[in-house]
Amino acid sequence: MSDTPFGFGLPPEEPEPGDGKKKDPAGGGSGAGGSSPQNPFGFGGGPGGGDNPFAAMFGAMGPQDLGAAFQQLGQMLSYEGGPVNWDMAKQIARQTVSQGTADGVKDASVSPVDRTAVEEALRLADLWLDGVTSLPSGANTAVAWSRAEWVEATLPAWKQLVDPVAERVGTAMGGVLPEEMQAMAGPLIGMMRSMGGAMFGQQIGQAMGVLAGEVVGSTDIGLPLGPAGKAALLPLNVEALGKDLGVPKEEVRLYLALREAAHQRLFAHVPWLRSHLFGAVEGYARGITVDTSKLEDVVGRFDPSHPEQLQEALQQGMFQPEDTPQQKAALARLETALALVEGWVDAVVHAAASSRLTSADALRETLRRRRASGGPAEQTFATLIGLQLRPRRLRDASRLWASLTDARGMDGRDALWEHPDMLPTATDLDDPDGFVHREQLDFSELDKMLGEAASGDGKAGGDGDNKAEGDDKGEGDGTEGPGR
């Protein structure tokens, strides 16, 4: 589990905001605003700032920058929304994207040539996948996104992922005072929640902005971050990924299109999968228990005229989750489900590409290593919700799906997605041969029976009621029904 599961850790390294000038070496930090492990929100590190992060933030600014800083502070203190200030998150993500990546590549609108190339690659990928999976195409639209467009399109999914975790933290911030004191401390609690929402928003915005410079599609972390039915690639990032591989960019684009299209098929035609994955995240959030002893101490000594005290307290690791059995179980379910998704995609894409792309094996290994080395998507996901996908499980899952293809064919393999109870478990990933040759339960007949029963119960007369009356002959009017 990540050591900074609530997004309060060290953000990815960023260029300096504004005109791109280098920060003062005395700042002692890295990233936007001079952030450091002791100052993860970038409020300190300026000359003369000392231990006061707000003084550091304002100390070395010109009139224009100072006005922007005060505007941001006003947003922090006036926010009255949910657990995350998503307006601030979006604003910071867009600003981070506009600064460009560390290699100096700036975001740009997608050209007509790149748009056409992406659309053609995704269409061809869907044709190739028709021969290796029984699941039909899941994308009704093929799109090419700029980095800024990725931020806009994926924001709703990030809200669904992060809000449950942030809500637990926000509740802790407002609930540390005794009940009899909360009425008198209303403004203080409101300020704390506002600052907490803004700090979440700032951290998440930075993370999204950095991630936008590295992801190649809408499903890089194994979750459907984009709108349903939209297969998407980011041409600028696709080109950056393939730049040093020695592989023709057309093959890189097509291989990544295969992965995106395979994800889309799975999420479109396994109706329970999305809610299963996002529900596991919420289950993890419900298992979080926040140690509020530090927070209670800060509240007891909090001076509203020095709001930086709360900032400093947040920097000191106040919100560290306890490893409860419920939380561990939720993490295990989510990690296994993500591994099964990624393993299935890896297996079917390899089947589609191995005989058609000369670089298929090299590209497959490149992407596996990217995941195994804790790539940008995994690191950001771990920072935001405290989850790290175990790459070992991904490889195990890929081998299991390949073995299932050999033993049962693609129809038998894909039929396991019909019901969550039919899927392999973490234990099965340790013994794939045992799972492959085990007799599987057939849920199709059970689902059919349950559907017929529900349909019969819902009719006001007709065949369902007639059957009930025949079965219950001599037992009254049959109003007791099958539960008798």
Side-chain angles (χ1 to χ4, degrees):
M1 184 183 300
S2 168
D3 292 333
T4 57
F6 300 108
F8 289 135
L10 178 64
E13 188 164 332
E14 301 284 350
E16 185 76 359
D19 59 4
K21 294 179 181 179
K22 293 184 179 179
K23 55 184 173 293
D24 192 315
S30 63
S35 61
S36 70
Q38 290 74 39
N39 181 11
F41 297 101
F43 286 161
D51 294 328
N52 185 331
F54 283 87
M57 179 171 69
F58 299 146
M61 294 183 175
Q64 195 170 14
D65 293 334
L66 188 60
F70 274 116
Q71 182 179 9
Q72 184 173 348
L73 180 59
Q75 290 176 338
M76 290 177 65
L77 298 180
S78 63
Y79 176 69
E80 297 180 352
V84 178
N85 188 332
W86 286 105
D87 290 337
M88 178 175 286
K90 177 180 174 180
Q91 177 185 348
I92 291 176
R94 294 293 299 261
Q95 290 173 350
T96 303
V97 164
S98 69
Q99 293 165 8
T101 51
D103 58 3
V105 178
K106 299 281 188 179
D107 191 25
S109 299
V110 179
S111 69
V113 172
D114 283 338
R115 193 176 303 280
T116 299
V118 166
E119 292 172 354
E120 291 178 350
L122 287 166
R123 280 197 295 268
L124 182 58
D126 252 341
L127 289 175
W128 287 6
L129 289 173
D130 283 340
V132 295
T133 174
S134 61
L135 299 180
S137 174
N140 49 43
T141 308
V143 296
W145 284 339
S146 66
R147 293 165 179 170
E149 287 172 326
W150 180 90
V151 168
E152 296 281 351
T154 62
L155 196 61
W158 286 116
K159 290 180 181 179
Q160 191 174 352
L161 284 168
V162 177
D163 272 348
V165 180
E167 181 65 41
R168 297 287 293 186
V169 177
T171 300
M173 293 179 73
V176 294
L177 290 178
E179 187 174 349
E180 61 272 14
M181 295 180 59
Q182 290 193 13
M184 295 183 292
L188 172 59
I189 293 174
M191 179 184 294
M192 292 171 65
R193 286 180 172 169
S194 295
M195 292 187 68
M199 291 170 187
F200 261 117
Q202 181 172 358
Q203 183 74 6
I204 293 165
Q206 289 177 342
M208 287 181 61
V210 173
L211 191 57
E214 297 165 330
V215 295
V216 295
S218 71
T219 56
D220 278 31
I221 64 173
L223 291 171
L225 295 181
K230 277 194 176 181
L233 291 180
L234 282 72
L236 197 60
N237 295 352
V238 170
E239 183 176 353
L241 176 65
K243 183 173 59 176
D244 299 322
L245 296 181
V247 176
K249 65 179 181 180
E250 293 79 12
E251 290 200 16
V252 175
R253 184 193 302 119
L254 186 50
Y255 192 87
L256 296 175
L258 282 166
R259 289 184 52 82
E260 176 74 8
H263 278 104
Q264 292 293 335
R265 288 184 181 226
L266 198 56
F267 289 118
H269 299 291
V270 182
W272 54 265
L273 184 56
R274 180 186 176 95
S275 61
H276 178 75
L277 291 170
F278 281 75
V281 175
E282 291 188 30
Y284 163 75
R286 286 194 300 269
I288 290 174
T289 56
V290 181
D291 182 4
T292 58
S293 58
K294 289 184 181 179
L295 185 57
E296 290 172 351
D297 182 59
V298 170
V299 170
R301 298 182 290 103
F302 186 73
D303 181 357
S305 65
H306 294 88
E308 71 273 9
Q309 291 176 1
L310 181 60
Q311 164 70 25
E312 292 169 353
L314 292 173
Q315 293 170 192
Q316 294 168 5
M318 181 183 299
F319 300 116
Q320 297 298 325
E322 295 178 3
D323 287 334
T324 63
Q326 295 86 351
Q327 190 181 28
K328 289 180 179 179
L331 282 172
R333 286 194 300 272
L334 184 54
E335 287 174 340
T336 301
L338 286 172
L340 291 173
V341 168
E342 287 298 285
W344 182 88
V345 168
D346 181 79
V348 299
V349 167
H350 182 70
S354 58
S355 62
R356 295 181 172 98
L357 297 179
T358 57
S359 57
D361 290 337
L363 289 169
R364 184 189 200 189
E365 191 58 31
T366 295
L367 292 173
R368 281 182 165 186
R369 288 180 179 178
R370 190 172 183 243
R371 302 298 295 270
S373 62
E378 286 76 22
Q379 291 173 354
T380 300
F381 200 37
T383 300
L384 295 185
I385 70 167
L387 171 78
Q388 289 180 323
L389 176 62
R390 292 169 292 178
R392 180 181 64 84
R393 300 280 81 182
L394 188 156
R395 289 179 181 264
D396 292 343
S398 181
R399 284 194 293 269
L400 187 146
W401 289 118
S403 297
L404 282 167
T405 307
D406 294 337
R408 305 184 187 182
M410 70 180 188
D411 290 340
R413 176 201 65 201
D414 294 345
L416 293 178
W417 290 106
E418 291 179 1
H419 196 284
D421 290 343
M422 296 176 68
L423 285 178
T425 64
T427 302
D428 294 324
L429 294 180
D430 295 327
D431 182 21
D433 290 336
F435 179 84
V436 168
H437 299 293
R438 186 188 311 154
E439 190 69 27
Q440 294 294 306
L441 296 173
D442 185 0
F443 285 84
S444 59
E445 287 300 319
L446 176 60
D447 288 341
K448 183 179 178 182
M449 291 170 60
L450 292 174
E452 289 175 350
S455 176
D457 290 343
K459 292 179 181 178
D463 294 341
D465 284 350
N466 290 338
K467 184 178 186 298
E469 289 180 10
D471 291 344
D472 295 330
K473 188 175 182 180
E475 299 290 339
D477 60 4
T479 54
E480 293 181 40
R484 195 171 57 257

